[in-house]
Amino acid sequence: MNSIIAISISFVLSLIVTAVLGYFLIPILHKLKFGQNILVDIGPKWHAKKQGTPTMGGIMFIIGTIVVTALTLLTCKLAGFDAFAELEVLRNQQMTRLFAGILMAFCFSLVGFADDYIKVVKKRNLGLTEIQKTIPQVLIIAGYLASLAISDSTGMYIPFYGKLALDSIPGMIFFFIFGVCVIYGAINAVNFTDGVDGLCGSVTIPVGVAFCVMGLIMKNTSVGILGAALAGSCCGYIVWNHYPAKVMMGDTGSMFLGGLVVALAYAVECPVILLPVGIIYVIEALSDVIQIGSIKIRKKKVFKMAPIHHHFEMCGWNEKKIVAVFTAVSTVGCIIGVVLMYFTVNK
């Protein structure tokens, strides 16, 4: 077995597992009456037809990604192929980044699950308050960053510069402050992207593929396997989430995706690569910030509705067109990110 075979297995298995899970999970969500409550006062009025569509569908790709990654890594080991570095120091760092990252993403999904549960079961439309979301998110981020610091995994690549060592006290302070800002921003940016059928899952497919390629560039097969599992599980999820969606991922799914995308960026030791690779997430988050800032300062809107995918809906774009265009932009950003990573690592 080699890296390409292991990565291919991860992609195909995660796609199949996630797609098949839909046959069992969606009827269960229907039976439990875990239907989405659409707030037409903060979204396009025509989204009212989505009322009652099962939510928490992100459970499908959470299981698909985690289980398949674990199975693929185990299969590699049984086949005598190690997905991690041979050098013990690098091996420990790679394992910490991978497994701590997956755990971080899963913990974020639990926060998202609590939010979805309150919305759907407790019938509180807004779910958790901002402070109720933020406190556990920051604690999870702090725990993840602490695990990286303990394993001496604080260094990071900077495009056009090379690797930046952050082992001094000022460097460690920067590492934690920068990490909290980047991770908190990323998970919420991915959450903003989930607002149109098939959008968040579709734009994340090229992101997973990009990190898969970066893993190969860095000769870190474990990252390639996780990236492939992410891309494959998103493909399997889209089987059920494409327009008109039969299930929605909910905060359960979007927070997991946000956490895993960040985990992959840290796994390739280059969190700033999220700027090109996660270009759609960045645009979605910025559009919301710009809209809120403009309303508070100028008393005027910049967009017809924010986040920006709703602006294009209000301009007459249908959901399929939005998904296609945004996914194309995401793909271009991912290609740029891969090229930057290649020349940075081989500088």
Side-chain angles (χ1 to χ4, degrees):
M1 180 181 289
N2 59 32
S3 298
I4 301 298
I5 294 175
I7 288 169
S8 299
I9 290 173
S10 181
F11 177 83
V12 174
L13 274 183
S14 59
L15 192 160
I16 294 172
V17 168
T18 304
V20 170
L21 277 172
Y23 283 102
F24 302 97
L25 181 64
I26 294 175
I28 291 173
L29 293 175
H30 270 296
K31 188 175 181 179
L32 293 173
K33 297 182 180 179
F34 281 7
Q36 181 74 37
N37 186 30
I38 304 299
L39 302 178
V40 294
D41 55 328
I42 60 173
K45 297 191 185 313
W46 52 85
H47 278 203
K49 63 184 179 182
K50 302 175 188 285
Q51 182 78 24
T53 302
T55 189
M56 301 189 197
I59 294 171
M60 292 158 54
F61 55 72
I62 293 172
I63 294 174
T65 302
I66 295 176
V67 171
V68 169
T69 297
L71 286 176
T72 307
L73 289 172
L74 178 61
T75 301
C76 287
K77 191 166 185 63
L78 293 174
F81 175 74
D82 202 334
F84 298 97
E86 292 183 9
L87 187 63
E88 187 175 356
V89 174
L90 292 177
R91 178 185 179 84
N92 291 339
Q93 290 176 347
Q94 288 179 1
M95 292 181 74
T96 299
R97 291 191 191 100
L98 188 82
F99 295 123
I102 293 173
L103 179 60
M104 174 182 65
F106 180 72
C107 288
F108 282 139
S109 75
L110 294 180
V111 177
F113 179 84
D115 190 48
D116 288 334
Y117 185 84
I118 290 171
K119 290 176 184 175
V120 174
V121 178
K122 299 298 183 180
K123 306 300 180 184
R124 278 171 43 191
N125 289 342
L126 297 179
L128 295 172
T129 63
E130 284 302 313
I131 192 69
Q132 288 173 332
K133 284 183 183 179
T134 299
I135 291 175
Q137 285 175 347
V138 171
L139 290 175
I140 293 166
I141 294 168
Y144 171 69
L145 293 174
S147 72
L148 296 186
I150 291 170
S151 65
D152 294 323
S153 302
T154 57
M156 61 179 69
Y157 284 101
I158 305 296
F160 306 114
Y161 174 80
K163 195 165 187 178
L164 181 67
L166 297 171
D167 49 3
S168 64
I169 292 178
M172 290 296 291
I173 293 173
F174 171 79
F175 172 77
F176 275 93
I177 294 175
F178 175 80
V180 170
C181 294
V182 169
I183 300 174
Y184 181 79
I187 57 174
N188 288 287
V190 175
N191 192 27
F192 286 142
T193 309
D194 180 34
V196 170
D197 291 356
L199 179 59
C200 194
S202 294
V203 301
T204 304
I205 292 171
V207 174
V209 173
F211 282 117
C212 184
V213 176
M214 290 181 204
L216 290 173
I217 291 171
M218 300 187 72
K219 297 180 174 57
N220 187 344
T221 306
S222 63
V223 173
I225 289 171
L226 181 58
L230 173 62
S233 61
C234 283
C235 287
Y237 172 70
I238 292 300
V239 171
W240 302 101
N241 183 241
H242 69 83
Y243 182 84
K246 297 178 179 64
V247 69
M248 297 180 182
M249 68 173 66
D251 282 6
T252 304
S254 62
M255 286 195 183
F256 174 81
L257 288 184
L260 201 62
V261 167
V262 169
L264 283 164
Y266 271 91
V268 297
E269 304 174 62
C270 189
V272 295
I273 207 68
L274 286 170
L275 287 174
V277 170
I279 185 63
I280 289 298
Y281 311 140
V282 174
I283 292 171
E284 292 276 13
L286 282 178
S287 69
D288 208 56
V289 171
I290 291 169
Q291 184 84 322
I292 293 171
S294 179
I295 291 173
K296 287 185 175 180
I297 297 171
R298 301 169 59 243
K299 310 300 181 185
K300 293 181 180 180
K301 291 182 177 181
V302 174
F303 307 102
K304 292 183 178 180
M305 186 174 288
I308 199 167
H309 56 261
H310 286 323
H311 170 79
F312 286 111
E313 277 193 283
M314 301 296 283
C315 290
W317 288 26
N318 61 46
E319 294 187 41
K320 289 183 179 180
K321 181 177 179 179
I322 292 171
V323 172
V325 173
F326 279 43
T327 303
V329 173
S330 177
T331 301
V332 172
C334 287
I335 292 171
I336 293 171
V338 168
V339 172
L340 284 175
M341 199 66 197
Y342 177 81
F343 286 107
T344 300
V345 172
N346 294 285
K347 179 178 172 60

